[in-house]
Amino acid sequence: MTERYEGSFYGRRKGKPLSPRRTHLMETALPRLSLDLKEPAPQNLADLFDVPVREVWLEVGFGGGEHLLHRARENPDVGLIGVEPFVGSMAKVVNTLNEEGLRNIRLYDDDAVNVLDWLPEASIDLAYQLYPDPWPKKRHWKRRFINPQNLDRYARVIKPGHQFRFASDIDTYVDWTLQHCRDHAAFEWTAEGPDDWRKPWANWPGTRYEAKAFREERVPRYLTFLRT
């Protein structure tokens, strides 16, 4: 299979088998919650949600869903689009949405590139990419999602004057992201002092990947870029 440099999804999608209940939810609830990329995106993304929303945020690769769900609970008037190809993680979030009845989240369970290409220009108020797969071996760095093509995609969909937020505990990926965003005309790093990358954003819930980083004595960094 030919590798796509553009930062499309690599790696496994399935882990442990799902329980019968979660399998049923994935078959019945996920289609209702999912973006339909076969249809054109609405020019007003608020129309994707069953409740009125004042802004729309995007999280690419939500992992265990801790951050996505936390932001949805604390901001019921914000619509969140969550992208995650790993089946177990998606099933966990679908289960929580079913139990709690949250109505301000839409999901996509495949390559985030597809969503970024589908979204209208300047339609996202805030974008997160938290603890993406670091591909630590240098020969695999081309697989990292942050690259010139995908920064072009982010730049197209994030509204000017709004933020792209990135977190990682892998030093080479932090440096990689700083370099690529520095070299991209549409992004400006907002840090003015060390706390601006050492401390997470307000009302930060933490994630399972961050907890693992702390256990393994790696230090997370939190980068904020302005879409200029």
Side-chain angles (χ1 to χ4, degrees):
M1 182 176 65
T2 302
E3 292 185 349
R4 289 173 57 188
Y5 175 73
E6 295 178 348
S8 56
F9 174 69
Y10 291 93
R12 64 193 183 103
R13 293 190 58 180
K14 294 183 178 180
K16 296 179 181 179
L18 300 179
S19 68
R21 180 177 179 278
R22 291 197 174 184
T23 297
H24 178 70
L25 282 174
M26 290 288 280
E27 293 172 350
T28 58
L30 181 58
R32 174 176 54 82
L33 297 166
S34 291
L35 300 177
D36 183 0
L37 270 57
K38 295 178 182 177
E39 297 293 329
Q43 286 303 306
N44 183 1
L45 291 186
D47 294 341
L48 292 171
F49 302 90
D50 297 332
V51 293
V53 298
R54 59 179 175 82
E55 292 188 352
V56 177
W57 301 354
L58 171 69
E59 183 170 346
V60 169
F62 59 70
E66 298 91 354
H67 179 264
L68 181 75
L69 294 166
H70 172 77
R71 296 301 184 191
R73 294 179 186 121
E74 73 168 3
N75 299 282
D77 59 345
V78 170
L80 289 106
I81 296 172
V83 182
E84 176 55 59
F86 189 63
V87 174
S89 297
M90 181 62 72
K92 177 184 175 183
V93 166
V94 170
N95 181 66
T96 301
L97 295 180
N98 183 67
E99 290 180 345
E100 297 187 15
L102 295 173
R103 300 171 62 194
N104 60 331
I105 290 182
R106 286 292 175 264
L107 302 170
Y108 185 70
D109 63 349
D110 207 325
D111 192 338
V113 162
N114 299 332
V115 175
L116 290 169
D117 288 346
W118 178 79
L119 290 168
E121 184 176 348
S123 59
I124 294 297
D125 295 277
L126 177 61
Y128 287 94
Q129 188 153 8
L130 308 175
Y131 299 97
D133 193 325
W135 295 106
K137 295 180 180 179
K138 191 169 184 178
R139 68 176 182 272
H140 292 152
W141 285 2
K142 64 181 181 179
R143 299 183 179 186
R144 290 175 169 174
F145 196 87
I146 300 298
N147 60 44
Q149 293 94 328
N150 287 337
L151 287 176
D152 285 345
R153 290 181 164 104
Y154 274 125
R156 189 185 70 83
V157 303
I158 298 172
K159 295 178 180 179
H162 291 245
Q163 292 182 354
F164 169 54
R165 297 177 177 179
F166 175 92
S168 179
D169 58 306
I170 305 300
D171 289 345
T172 60
Y173 207 171
V174 172
D175 292 343
W176 169 279
T177 301
L178 285 170
Q179 177 184 337
H180 279 76
C181 288
R182 179 200 66 192
D183 293 343
H184 197 287
F187 291 101
E188 178 182 322
W189 191 27
T190 64
E192 297 180 353
D195 282 352
D196 292 330
W197 70 82
R198 291 175 179 170
K199 293 184 177 181
W201 304 280
N203 302 323
W204 176 251
T207 76
R208 65 175 62 182
Y209 299 107
E210 183 180 66
K212 180 181 179 183
F214 287 136
R215 289 196 304 271
E216 297 178 359
E217 300 183 340
R218 292 191 302 274
V219 180
R221 299 302 186 201
Y222 311 90
L223 309 180
T224 301
F225 300 96
L226 187 69
R227 168 64 172 95
T228 58

